[in-house]
Amino acid sequence: QPEMPFLGDPPATREQRLGAVGYLTGAMRLTVAADEGPCHGAETIFNGKELSELGFANPRPTPLSDGQKKLGLVNAVRCSATFKEVAGYKRKKGKDQNQGLDRPIQVDFAQVGEGGPWVLARLQAHTILGAAVIELARVKAHGKLPEGIVQAAR
């Protein structure tokens, strides 16, 4: 008889799995956020084993760097994001919980042109390995939203 895979302590319940989205769906939802930006609410993410919550709060305008302006970014907004392990992970204590992210992540979003999709322009986090910074270096946008499709609020 094959051994059952470890599904975490505790494993995600059926209800939790059905109420979550995958990472790609969660990321796509951010791109079509309403005009005030994607820095509101929380998204429950399930990757097939682990259930996580990614929460956004404290949105505020932030200036664009010269490089971001050259990419055609506008309407930058900064918010605090938190990552929380909910289910499906090995039980951890202290600083090992929540992937070692013991303080909020600073996230900057901006639109690709007025009314365009939101993109992650910059992310800064304090990880167990030290500071991590991710900055958008290139944007390639084509086409328009199909007729009848409007930006959605999360």
Side-chain angles (χ1 to χ4, degrees), residues 72 74-75 111-116:
V74 297
N75 304 326
Q111 284 182 290
V112 181
E114 287 295 333

Side-chain angles (χ1 to χ4, degrees), residues 10 16 44 51-53 84-89 98:
Q16 286 174 318
T44 303
L51 186 84
S52 311
E53 183 177 280
K84 181 180 174 189
E85 296 173 353
V86 177
Y89 291 88
N98 302 320

Side-chain angles (χ1 to χ4, degrees), residues 3-16:
E3 186 177 321
M4 289 294 291
F6 178 73
L7 297 177
D9 184 17
T13 67
R14 183 175 195 281
E15 292 77 23
Q16 286 174 318

Side-chain angles (χ1 to χ4, degrees), residues 2 11-13 16 28-29 32 36 57 60 72-73 83-84 88 96 102 110 129-130 133 135:
T13 67
Q16 286 174 318
M28 292 307 297
R29 284 184 178 177
V32 294
E36 67 269 8
R60 57 215 178 268
L73 301 182
F83 176 86
K84 181 180 174 189
D96 291 333
D102 61 353
L129 300 175
V133 176
E135 293 189 59

Side-chain angles (χ1 to χ4, degrees), residues 68-152:
Q68 291 169 331
K69 289 176 186 176
K70 286 179 184 175
L71 294 174
L73 301 182
V74 297
N75 304 326
V77 62
R78 175 170 289 168
C79 59
S80 299
T82 53
F83 176 86
K84 181 180 174 189
E85 296 173 353
V86 177
Y89 291 88
K90 291 180 183 175
R91 193 172 297 270
K92 302 171 194 167
K93 293 184 180 182
K95 290 190 174 198
D96 291 333
Q97 293 177 335
N98 302 320
Q99 303 298 303
L101 298 168
D102 61 353
R103 59 184 98 166
I105 303 162
Q106 180 178 288
V107 184
D108 294 356
F109 291 99
Q111 284 182 290
V112 181
E114 287 295 333
W118 289 92
V119 294
L120 179 79
R122 188 172 191 277
L123 178 145
Q124 182 174 344
H126 296 278
T127 73
I128 56 175
L129 300 175
V133 176
I134 299 171
E135 293 189 59
L136 183 66
R138 189 172 44 184
V139 174
K140 194 173 188 178
H142 295 282
K144 297 180 179 182
L145 288 173
E147 191 67 35
I149 302 293
V150 296
Q151 291 182 322

